[in-house]
Amino acid sequence: RRQKPRASREFGPERSLESQKEGLCSSSPSVSSTESTLQMVIPGLLKSLDSPVQPPKSLDSPLQTVKQVQPRKSLDSLVQMVGSMQLSKSTESKSASSGSGAAGSDLGAAPFDICMGNSKGTVILKHGLLEINREKRRAKELSDIAPVQHLRPGMVLLKNFLKPDDQVKIIKHCRDLGVGPGGFYQPGYREGAKLSLRMMCLGKNWDPDSGSYGDIRRFDAAQPPKIPEELTKYVKDAIAASHEFLKQRGKGATNPDAELPVMSPDICIVNFYTTSGKLGFHQDNNEQRSSLARGLPVVSFSLGDTAEFLYGDVRDDDKASKIKLESGDVLIFGGQSRHIFHGVSSIAPKSAPLWVTDKANLRPGRLNLTFRQYNYKGSVNVTPAPFDTCVCDNNTAPLQHLRPGMVLLKKFLKANDQVEIFKLCHNLGVNARECLCLGKKCNQYSNSYGDMRPFDGAQPDIPEIFKKLVEDAIEASHEFLEQRRGTSNALVELPPMSPDMCTVRFDTIIPTIVLRQDVTETSLARELPVVSFWLGDSAEFLYPGIRDDVASKIDLESGDVLIFGSQSRRISHAVSSIKPRTAPMWLVDKTDLQAGLLNLTFRQYYHV
């Protein structure tokens, strides 16, 4: 008895796996029985045809159809059915052989060929009337669709931009490179999980396990091929067409280069998805900081079967927008949309244009090329903020009273202070994987504090410049409260405090919203305030309003200082989202800041 197929395992949103077939369902014919059926049926059928089947041509020739006289319709249908079974079996067998090898690679496996037509004895038949009519209907539908669509700021879709002959050339370029050194393989991770696609890198190799680019491929030391000049020209033509569209859309009032900067691609990731392939929600943020800060776009070519493409500002499939990317479509996202989350949820089988199969021999699935510029060598054309003045927006109140005991100081930290804070945090070892504690070690699991870090015994102190900025922020809040209420006692609403502990976090995404309270200090009885610095990308911050059962939201930007104490000391609060590419450009230039949010939260643990 054969085992039923096991359900595929999931390794998180970015590690979708192909189903690993351990056996065949009892209701499905086995491979051996299929072969036996083909051996018995095909010879008899071919003898009954008046014209013999012509042998298939070589790989570079278009697939040749079988010419037949007019036998019985039932016989014609049976020939199509058997030929389809044989073609499908050949494709699956080839895909399976290329999926073997070491974990995270195809080491030792035969090169994966994205094109068909190499298997001996493959029978290629004429397209049925249903397929031909479906192709005609889709061509008519495309004529009614806008050729260029503005999906959101910095994101443009060029429908059917790549002409049929260009698509065939692109497929053949990828096929020739894909079967050579550094060609297609199945990427994966150290623990054994594999992506449900085949990948080839051009220009530089991208390693999904480390999330970084390199000059060679880790598992076989192969160098990635260079991007063919013809593909680079298609990218530049697509960006030029997008700029022309943006000019006409804005009636000359907008600057297209500001919304979609010009880029010269030097890296490209080529993915081939089978009809069961998918790719989880992710961001393309492994390029050099200069490229990301400039907002240089990603240019994506789609060929073959249609894909359902998801995109959005947060990593949440349910909140994502959806579009269908068809063969010949070019999607461009840069500028404000450079750091969007995106992924492929499904591939529509048998949705590729017929000529893709006839002329390019592309096997069932979707071929996708995403072009990027790894490093931006020019200067960022942004006037830096003065380093001796506050960088407040003139239209925003510099201090805001949010609720009793809670004050927001907008852009309180001067530009030179923000740069200094970033550099000090970098030297102290802040990273995106863990929280850094100064003064006292905070154990997030036991929700308690200690005098040293358990893993190395270190006891880093709070830099004096940090303490001075905290004191200045509290003093500014007191002056604001006295002017706002006149006779009120500002020291009662926001008691003074001298920070002896600080938690430092750097986050690139907020995967879940967790409302929490800061209630682990021994000074809670005095209701000494929490002082929080915000630097880098903007964040949406949740906290209770005047009514504690109704949450309020504010945007915290780079340089803001938030203080809450006294009546607001025990409020539940959280960061609900981080807004990509909102950090000041001068801060990125001065610090080489990567996309993300740096937050420093100061407290006083003891009160004497």
Side-chain angles (χ1 to χ4, degrees):
R1 297 176 58 188
R2 297 186 179 272
Q3 298 176 353
K4 294 184 178 180
R6 296 189 306 187
S8 62
R9 298 169 55 197
E10 291 290 335
F11 286 80
E14 290 190 49
R15 302 186 179 188
S16 301
L17 305 177
E18 287 184 298
S19 299
Q20 304 296 320
K21 296 185 178 178
E22 298 291 330
L24 299 176
C25 296
S26 58
S27 60
S28 302
S30 65
V31 173
S32 59
S33 64
T34 302
E35 290 175 348
S36 180
T37 302
L38 292 174
Q39 291 172 0
M40 289 186 296
V41 175
I42 288 180
L45 289 176
L46 295 181
K47 288 179 181 179
S48 66
L49 297 177
D50 293 337
S51 300
V53 177
Q54 299 297 325
K57 291 187 177 182
S58 63
L59 176 66
D60 296 329
S61 302
L63 293 178
Q64 185 172 345
T65 59
V66 179
K67 295 183 179 180
Q68 305 174 8
V69 296
Q70 298 296 327
R72 295 185 304 273
K73 289 185 178 181
S74 59
L75 180 61
D76 184 61
S77 301
L78 187 56
V79 171
Q80 291 186 15
M81 179 188 71
V82 174
S84 175
M85 290 171 59
Q86 188 179 22
L87 181 60
S88 175
K89 175 180 154 313
S90 173
T91 300
E92 291 175 0
S93 175
K94 196 172 188 68
S95 297
S97 68
S98 63
S100 61
S105 70
D106 276 341
L107 190 60
F112 180 78
D113 193 343
I114 62 172
C115 293
M116 303 181 298
N118 292 332
S119 301
K120 294 182 178 180
T122 300
V123 179
I124 307 300
L125 302 169
K126 286 184 178 181
H127 297 296
L129 186 60
L130 182 63
E131 292 177 305
I132 296 173
N133 288 337
R134 182 176 59 195
E135 185 99 338
K136 290 179 179 179
R137 286 196 302 270
R138 186 56 192 151
K140 186 177 185 305
E141 291 172 0
L142 284 174
S143 65
D144 298 330
I145 297 176
V148 186
Q149 301 174 23
H150 190 259
L151 302 179
R152 52 178 282 162
M155 191 171 185
V156 173
L157 173 61
L158 290 79
K159 291 295 297 180
N160 203 27
F161 180 79
L162 298 170
K163 304 304 179 189
D165 289 344
D166 295 333
Q167 295 185 51
V168 172
K169 291 178 183 177
I170 294 171
I171 292 171
K172 290 190 174 182
H173 272 304
C174 292
R175 187 267 166 186
D176 292 342
L177 294 172
V179 296
F184 284 105
Y185 74 106
Q186 187 173 16
Y189 302 90
R190 293 182 188 274
E191 67 268 26
K194 290 187 177 183
L195 277 70
S196 56
L197 50 80
R198 301 298 194 278
M199 184 173 76
M200 172 177 65
C201 297
L202 307 179
K204 279 185 174 292
N205 180 70
W206 181 74
D207 182 3
D209 193 60
S210 64
S212 60
Y213 288 94
D215 294 327
I216 61 173
R217 200 158 61 183
R218 177 168 51 88
F219 69 89
D220 63 356
Q223 292 185 338
K226 293 183 179 179
I227 302 176
E229 286 296 327
E230 194 168 13
L231 303 189
T232 301
K233 183 181 182 302
Y234 293 141
V235 173
K236 293 181 178 179
D237 289 346
I239 294 176
S242 299
H243 282 182
E244 185 62 30
F245 165 75
L246 292 173
K247 283 181 182 178
Q248 296 176 0
R249 183 175 182 270
K251 298 180 180 179
T254 60
N255 181 7
D257 188 54
E259 183 169 352
L260 273 180
V262 175
M263 74 101 170
S264 298
D266 52 14
I267 54 176
C268 175
I269 297 179
V270 186
N271 288 330
F272 182 82
Y273 302 80
T274 62
T275 52
S276 61
K278 59 180 66 176
L279 186 63
F281 243 27
H282 67 283
Q283 292 174 301
D284 292 338
N285 55 10
N286 298 131
E287 292 72 44
Q288 288 287 297
R289 291 168 182 168
S290 58
S291 177
L292 295 173
R294 181 78 174 99
L296 300 185
V298 175
V299 179
S300 174
F301 292 177
S302 294
L303 303 101
D305 284 331
T306 300
E308 183 178 69
F309 183 83
L310 310 180
Y311 65 94
D313 288 321
V314 295
R315 181 177 286 177
D316 189 338
D317 292 11
D318 295 332
K319 297 180 180 179
S321 299
K322 299 179 182 181
I323 54 171
K324 291 191 180 299
L325 296 180
E326 301 175 287
S327 193
D329 289 354
V330 175
L331 179 67
I332 306 177
F333 54 94
Q336 294 183 38
S337 295
R338 180 58 177 80
H339 295 281
I340 60 169
F341 288 94
H342 57 282
V344 174
S345 58
S346 63
I347 305 295
K350 298 181 180 179
S351 55
L354 298 181
W355 50 263
V356 169
T357 302
D358 293 344
K359 294 184 178 180
N361 298 355
L362 184 68
R363 69 171 65 252
R366 174 186 182 240
L367 183 66
N368 174 233
L369 297 83
T370 52
F371 299 87
R372 308 165 176 85
Q373 184 172 339
Y374 179 69
N375 188 22
Y376 178 69
K377 298 180 180 179
S379 59
V380 180
N381 186 23
V382 176
T383 303
F387 268 58
D388 57 352
T389 60
C390 176
V391 288
C392 295
D393 186 345
N394 293 330
N395 297 323
T396 304
L399 285 90
Q400 302 174 22
H401 189 258
L402 303 179
R403 53 173 284 158
M406 191 172 185
V407 174
L408 172 61
L409 292 78
K410 291 295 296 180
K411 305 291 181 70
F412 179 79
L413 299 172
K414 297 178 182 179
N416 56 337
D417 293 332
Q418 295 185 51
V419 171
E420 185 68 19
I421 291 171
F422 263 106
K423 290 183 177 179
L424 285 172
C425 289
H426 176 73
N427 293 336
L428 289 168
V430 174
N431 58 56
R433 292 183 293 276
E434 60 184 17
C435 176
L436 174 69
C437 298
L438 306 177
K440 279 189 171 292
K441 171 64 181 177
C442 175
N443 189 323
Q444 59 182 340
Y445 301 106
S446 63
N447 203 25
S448 61
Y449 292 95
D451 291 329
M452 61 182 61
R453 295 192 300 211
F455 62 90
D456 63 359
Q459 188 179 5
D461 198 7
I462 302 175
E464 288 299 320
I465 184 176
F466 291 1
K467 295 180 180 179
K468 177 69 168 57
L469 290 171
V470 171
E471 293 173 0
D472 290 346
I474 294 176
E475 184 178 349
S477 299
H478 287 168
E479 293 178 0
F480 165 69
L481 292 173
E482 289 173 358
Q483 294 173 2
R484 182 175 183 271
R485 298 199 173 185
T487 58
S488 67
N489 187 350
L491 299 180
V492 174
E493 184 165 354
L494 275 180
M497 73 101 170
S498 298
D500 55 12
M501 54 183 294
C502 172
T503 56
V504 186
R505 292 188 60 90
F506 182 80
D507 293 303
T508 56
I509 60 171
I510 302 296
T512 56
I513 301 174
V514 179
L515 288 168
R516 61 183 178 83
Q517 296 174 298
D518 294 332
V519 293
T520 52
E521 298 74 40
T522 62
S523 59
L524 283 175
R526 187 73 173 84
E527 296 180 330
L528 302 185
V530 174
V531 179
S532 185
F533 292 176
W534 303 81
L535 301 97
D537 285 333
S538 300
E540 184 180 71
F541 184 83
L542 306 181
Y543 70 97
I546 299 300
R547 290 173 49 200
D548 286 345
D549 60 339
V550 179
S552 297
K553 299 179 182 180
I554 53 171
D555 284 336
L556 296 176
E557 302 172 289
S558 190
D560 289 356
V561 176
L562 180 66
I563 306 177
F564 52 95
S566 186
Q567 296 182 45
S568 296
R569 180 60 178 82
R570 292 174 173 82
I571 62 169
S572 297
H573 55 281
V575 173
S576 59
S577 65
I578 295 175
K579 302 182 178 181
R581 201 176 174 269
T582 51
M585 295 302 296
W586 52 264
L587 185 60
V588 175
D589 288 343
K590 296 286 183 180
T591 63
D592 286 335
L593 168 70
Q594 70 179 62
L597 167 68
L598 180 67
N599 173 236
L600 296 84
T601 304
F602 300 88
R603 307 171 181 84
Q604 183 174 339
Y605 184 73
Y606 293 110
H607 176 67
V608 180

